[in-house]
Amino acid sequence: MRTSSLLLVSTILIVTLTSYCCNSLPLSTQKRWIIDDATGQRVKLTCAHWVAHVKPMLVEGLDKLPIKDIATQIANSGFNCVRLSYATYMFTRYANNTIRDTFYSLDIPEDVVSAIEKHNPLILNMTHVQAYEAAIDALGEKGVMVLIDNHVSKPKWCCDNKDQNGFFGDRHFHPHEWLQGLAFIAKHFKGKSNVIAMDLRNELRGGRQNLHDWYKYVSQGAKTIHKHNPDLLVVISGLNFDNDLSFLKKKTLDLNFTNKLVYEAHIYSFSGTQDRWDLQPLNWVCSTVIETLKDQAGFLINGDKPVPLFISEFGYDMTGVNHVDNKFLPCFVSYAASVDLDWSLWSFGGSYYYREGTVGAGETYAVMNYDWKNFTDPKFPEKFQLLQKKVQDPSSNLSKSHIMFHPLTGKCAHVNKSNNELVLGDCKSHSQWSSEGNGSPIRLMDSALCLKAEGEGLPATLSKHCLSQQSSWRSVSKTGLHLATSDGNRSHLCLEIDSDSSKIVTRKCICIDDYDSSCLENPQSQWFQLISTNV
């Protein structure tokens, strides 16, 4: 191993980088929340992943746009944070190699190299450390926080069980070198005001997995980061591709700086059996997926000693052609919004210089399209508007209210004041509601009006008849995502988005019977939930 190159890294950047200011450092944890030490207020991480861990060892997209323009796009897309990946060997073996030499060694075509030089003329002659730092500083200039993500050791696309890159002791995962890399990064980026966290390792996996080594090396890694940069949050992954932290129910990590620890988990439509999204009722599938997530990771935010949970990867095919992902996303979003999770979306950029032997590979799970100029999913901003908003803050003195949220569209309920009917609209300015649940009325805050069902296919309205049967609402179905009342004849009517307008109507509830295994109709147009907020 050429680990001696760590000592040779130049401390002088090729370019003079302008200073920046982020007012959210350092961060700590308080129960289940991440907070700003200076103000005590919650800081919600809403991140996008920016890839830099594959063989070129350079943040993607620099052949499409200047690095500062990409940072601007990230900030303008509503993200306050980037999960910036790296491979351990970038800093322990290839730190002083230039980007130009690495691209040459990979036989990446000259047109790609020329495009990088056109948009970012200084990058190719930078070392890998300098280029990585340039990305951090470009983000800092836009006020974007950075979570440094140790994605792999050997630079490559990730991940599978047999890649020898997944668990301590694998051929490409030497614990000593891994710790050396963590120490270097923690020291090198100390003082960067927008670097708020480091994660220990992405998606631990493979046949070597065992709890003894997990506790041993995770403790060593966390202590290494904290020793060299005590301001940083330390983000900790579990087992089985970041799917399982359930063993912490029996034995927690024994560390003396627990106010810096954040735990991470991943979830996709393919986490588990993907076919079930088509073969079973969607309410059943969604309920099972969320209950599994709660059991394996979500339990951490509850109980007597809650800690922060960061969903550091989730995503969906933003081209819209993956019908399973189209079902998965509203399901996950409903849970994430209900507990106001911190999260990171895979991924931001729509292309790669070189991925798994393919030059110029595309990424359909990307916010930006192949040219990095437009949203892959034109509806991305509205789908994520509530997720990118902080709705719970432990330091808030405001009274609690509710947001009526529609996970399928990402929109929130508003009252049309001209006719007292409900419509879906922007979540940045929504109507506020109060409800005690269990068949109680849903009241418009600071008014005497309640939500009422007028009948099958008719708009839901506000009425003063708060004690009527049609004004008694409860969450039904296994997901609890159907807000239902009675039509007066003992049949359930559920809120539903009208297919031809933004109006919210009531119709016969779809697939809410817990025992009807044959109901495969998609009920997501009827998924509504009341999200608690004090912000």
Side-chain angles (χ1 to χ4, degrees), residues 30 45 48 114 148 155 159 169 181 183 225 246 258 263 284 308 318 369 430:
Q30 183 182 88
L45 301 183
S114 297
I148 297 178
C159 303
I225 292 172
S246 61
T258 52
Y263 292 87
W284 288 22
M318 296 198 189
N369 65 2
H430 51 79

Side-chain angles (χ1 to χ4, degrees), residues 257-272:
F257 51 93
T258 52
N259 69 324
K260 292 291 184 179
L261 301 184
V262 175
Y263 292 87
E264 66 177 325
H266 292 181
I267 184 169
Y268 290 93
S269 65
F270 46 81
S271 301

Side-chain angles (χ1 to χ4, degrees), residues 10-219:
S10 171
T11 58
I12 301 175
L13 286 177
I14 290 175
V15 292
T16 300
L17 297 166
T18 57
S19 62
Y20 48 79
C21 176
C22 293
N23 59 7
S24 55
L25 266 180
L27 304 181
S28 295
T29 66
Q30 183 182 88
K31 296 184 178 179
R32 63 151 291 194
W33 308 107
I34 297 169
I35 62 167
D36 181 339
D37 281 359
T39 65
Q41 293 183 338
R42 181 191 172 198
V43 175
K44 179 178 178 178
L45 301 183
T46 59
C47 313
H49 193 101
W50 197 358
V51 173
H53 65 271
V54 289
K55 286 185 176 182
M57 295 179 284
L58 175 67
V59 289
E60 301 289 346
L62 302 192
D63 57 334
K64 308 295 184 183
L65 292 171
I67 194 168
K68 291 185 178 181
D69 288 1
I70 295 176
T72 299
Q73 281 185 331
I74 290 170
N76 289 347
S77 298
F79 299 103
N80 66 9
C81 165
V82 159
R83 183 176 181 243
L84 188 63
S85 60
Y86 75 96
T88 299
Y89 294 178
M90 283 170 59
F91 298 104
T92 60
R93 302 189 183 193
Y94 307 120
N96 283 330
N97 290 22
T98 68
I99 302 299
R100 188 184 299 276
D101 287 344
T102 297
F103 273 64
Y104 180 79
S105 70
L106 294 172
D107 288 329
I108 293 177
E110 183 59 33
D111 61 334
V112 176
V113 177
S114 297
I116 294 174
E117 193 159 31
K118 172 187 174 183
H119 295 297
N120 298 275
L122 300 178
I123 287 288
L124 289 171
N125 293 323
M126 288 184 179
T127 66
H128 288 290
V129 172
Q130 291 169 337
Y132 196 81
E133 190 161 4
I136 289 174
D137 288 326
L139 292 165
E141 289 175 7
K142 299 302 176 182
V144 178
M145 296 176 285
V146 174
L147 186 159
I148 297 178
D149 162 45
N150 179 217
H151 215 72
V152 288
S153 289
K154 180 181 179 181
K156 69 183 297 291
W157 183 249
C158 180
C159 303
D160 66 65
N161 269 315
K162 298 180 180 180
D163 61 9
Q164 288 295 309
N165 215 340
F167 200 74
F168 309 104
D170 279 356
R171 184 186 312 142
H172 301 299
F173 195 170
H174 303 282
H176 177 73
E177 187 175 6
W178 169 71
L179 291 170
Q180 190 178 20
L182 294 178
F184 172 78
I185 293 165
K187 288 187 290 186
H188 188 81
F189 296 113
K190 188 174 183 179
K192 295 287 185 184
S193 64
N194 65 319
V195 176
I196 52 105
M198 288 176 59
D199 80 3
L200 294 179
R201 186 68 170 203
N202 171 73
E203 296 197 354
L204 293 169
R205 60 195 180 277
R208 288 182 179 269
Q209 292 182 96
N210 67 90
L211 287 178
H212 177 269
D213 284 347
W214 187 90
Y215 282 98
K216 174 183 176 181
Y217 291 118
V218 164
S219 296

Side-chain angles (χ1 to χ4, degrees), residues 311-337:
I311 301 298
S312 58
E313 273 189 39
F314 77 101
Y316 68 107
D317 185 337
M318 296 198 189
T319 64
V321 299
N322 187 321
H323 64 281
V324 171
D325 278 352
N326 295 341
K327 295 175 182 177
F328 159 77
L329 184 67
C331 173
F332 171 72
V333 164
S334 67
Y335 172 65

